[in-house]
Amino acid sequence: MSNSAATRAGRPPAPAPTTPPEPGTPPAGGGRRTLLLAAGVVLLALNLRPALVAVSPLADTIRADSGMSAASVSLLTALPLLCFGLLAPLAPRIGRHLGTERALLATMALVCAGTALRMLDSVLALFAGTLVIGAGIAVANVLLPGLIKRDFPTRTGLMTGLYSMSLFGGAALAAGITLPVRQAGDMTWQATLACWGALALVALLVWLPHVRSRTRTAAATARVAAHPVRGLWRSPLAWQVTAYMGLQSLGYYAAAAWLPTLLADAGTTPGNAGWMLSFSSLLGITGSFLAPVVAGRRIGTGTLAVLGAVLCALGFTGLLLAPVAGAYLWMVLLGLGQGVAISLALLFILHRAPDARHTAQLSSMAQCLGYTLAATGPALLGALHDASHGWTLPLIVLLVLLVPQIAAGLGASRPLHVAGRP
């Protein structure tokens, strides 16, 4: 019965049908809430590396105080990477069960809990806290790209740039100020590591209002989002995205683990060698922000994938030929190249997925295999160094791995979407 007929019959007219908001509809509250959401994403991303990177500047102190071997201390870096890979497949399921906002809030709670555990004067607590932190970051790694795809569909380049810039910025911050903070406060290494929990607490408090005011996903959209995407593991394009993520991660973490040692072996003082790693990360901020912003506008993503690899190749070649004399130049090239590569890896996940559901599943696949592969990088380079008694062979291997990285990047840059089945 029409509304006019219902009125004549003495009954109130039926309400006009409403259409559920599409995924990607601007947040309720307009520009102000969008800015607050973007700030929340940046703060979450800032917390995805410092609690882990902060271990490296304190490694010698931890060894001396706890009596741990060098191999045991290296596990404090390898275990989180394994968490990133092994727990990535669970992240989309957690996101569907709790909702993306609540799941991300829980990740910051885990980072806070893990840093608190590491305050205890116990090696067991140190490893347990590291695992808890790794678990929280593993889930956030996967869910944040999906949230960007869903809530910033017309600004994926800018938001990916801010996201990857925050990753590098957090790592550079931890590498650069952990020791000065410890010395200024005359703190134990346990208290110094725990300081990074304060940044996670700030992110948690800033993110809390987004959990409380979440109104964007209508019931119909939520029912669709509840079903996982299947079949991506049979998609060649998904494998190319995954290969690019894995190869660039392996190169980054392998170089980061051994770069200070390589420079120290070449004659650089230990203090300067550590500074070079931080300097490279600072340059990575620039590359990681600019690449996704210009991608598709002035420069194609395939060209950027080649450019990132060429910059890394020049940096590795310089370290091979004149590691000390041109150290600053090699760090500039490496930092820019690695920044371009990590931001492209994240951008490929967003651009090759047609919606937020596919984004979360593709992110899970790429990070599961990518970070598992990356976890082998430091050990691989260390084994090659021990076998060859030098850094020539490890650097040549890193150079060779850039070839399949370019091939994967060119494949992942094609303007296609991965195809899964519901």
Side-chain angles (χ1 to χ4, degrees):
M1 182 182 292
S2 69
N3 282 348
S4 59
T7 302
R8 289 194 299 271
R11 293 191 298 272
T18 58
T19 302
E22 294 295 327
T25 302
R32 182 174 178 273
R33 187 175 185 275
T34 300
L35 287 174
L36 290 175
L37 185 61
V41 169
V42 167
L43 272 173
L44 289 173
L46 273 174
N47 279 279
L48 300 187
R49 296 298 178 266
L52 307 178
V53 173
V55 171
S56 182
L58 299 171
D60 288 341
T61 304
I62 293 172
R63 285 178 58 193
D65 188 57
S66 66
M68 294 167 59
S69 66
S72 297
V73 172
S74 69
L75 284 176
L76 294 172
T77 301
L79 284 176
L81 289 177
L82 288 173
C83 285
F84 293 177
L86 298 178
L87 297 181
L90 300 178
R93 185 178 304 175
I94 294 170
R96 291 192 300 270
H97 180 69
L98 296 178
T100 301
E101 283 79 7
R102 287 188 180 89
L104 287 170
L105 186 73
T107 66
M108 289 300 101
L110 286 174
V111 173
C112 290
T115 53
L117 263 178
R118 297 201 300 193
M119 286 190 70
L120 301 177
D121 188 13
S122 162
V123 171
L124 180 61
L126 174 62
F127 277 95
T130 300
L131 284 173
V132 172
I133 292 168
I137 294 174
V139 175
N141 278 340
V142 173
L143 294 184
L144 274 172
L147 182 136
I148 291 172
K149 178 75 171 183
R150 185 196 71 192
D151 290 0
F152 301 93
T154 62
R155 300 184 181 92
T156 54
L158 174 62
M159 288 306 300
T160 302
L162 290 172
Y163 174 44
S164 51
M165 181 181 72
S166 300
L167 287 177
F168 265 93
L173 192 66
I177 73 169
T178 295
L179 276 181
V181 165
R182 176 176 180 267
Q183 292 163 356
D186 194 23
M187 294 185 289
T188 64
W189 60 264
Q190 292 97 332
T192 307
L193 288 177
C195 284
W196 291 105
L199 185 61
L201 182 60
V202 171
L204 188 151
L205 294 174
V206 171
W207 193 251
L208 189 59
H210 299 297
V211 176
R212 291 177 173 174
S213 64
R214 173 65 180 162
T215 57
R216 298 200 44 195
T217 305
T221 305
R223 284 195 294 271
V224 173
H227 299 288
V229 175
R230 307 182 191 280
L232 285 188
W233 291 71
R234 292 193 292 273
S235 166
L237 182 57
W239 277 103
Q240 288 166 337
V241 172
T242 298
Y244 188 82
M245 169 64 82
L247 289 167
Q248 66 83 24
S249 296
L250 186 152
Y252 172 77
Y253 284 105
W258 291 108
L259 188 59
T261 305
L262 182 155
L263 291 171
D265 288 351
T268 305
T269 64
N272 284 338
W275 155 245
M276 288 297 174
L277 179 59
S278 183
F279 178 68
S280 176
S281 295
L282 288 172
L283 269 297
I285 295 173
T286 304
S288 63
F289 177 73
L290 291 178
V293 172
V294 303
R297 297 182 180 180
R298 294 179 176 84
I299 306 176
T301 52
T303 302
L304 286 171
V306 174
L307 176 62
V310 168
L311 288 171
C312 289
L314 291 173
F316 289 141
T317 302
L319 288 171
L320 190 62
L321 300 177
V324 177
Y328 274 98
L329 176 59
W330 315 142
M331 293 307 100
V332 169
L333 294 170
L334 267 181
L336 290 174
Q338 291 172 339
V340 168
I342 182 58
S343 61
L344 278 182
L346 297 169
L347 195 65
F348 286 148
I349 292 172
L350 294 173
H351 283 187
R352 301 289 80 85
D355 52 39
R357 222 163 35 101
H358 283 77
T359 301
Q361 211 67 37
L362 180 59
S363 179
S364 170
M365 175 181 172
Q367 298 198 49
C368 170
L369 296 179
Y371 281 120
T372 302
L373 179 63
T376 68
L380 173 64
L381 249 66
L384 290 173
H385 172 265
D386 290 344
S388 62
H389 304 290
W391 291 106
T392 299
L393 181 59
L395 287 169
I396 289 174
V397 169
L398 289 176
L399 283 166
V400 170
L401 288 174
L402 291 172
V403 176
Q405 179 179 314
I406 290 174
L410 291 173
S413 68
R414 292 174 298 156
L416 302 172
H417 284 153
V418 295
R421 55 185 176 84

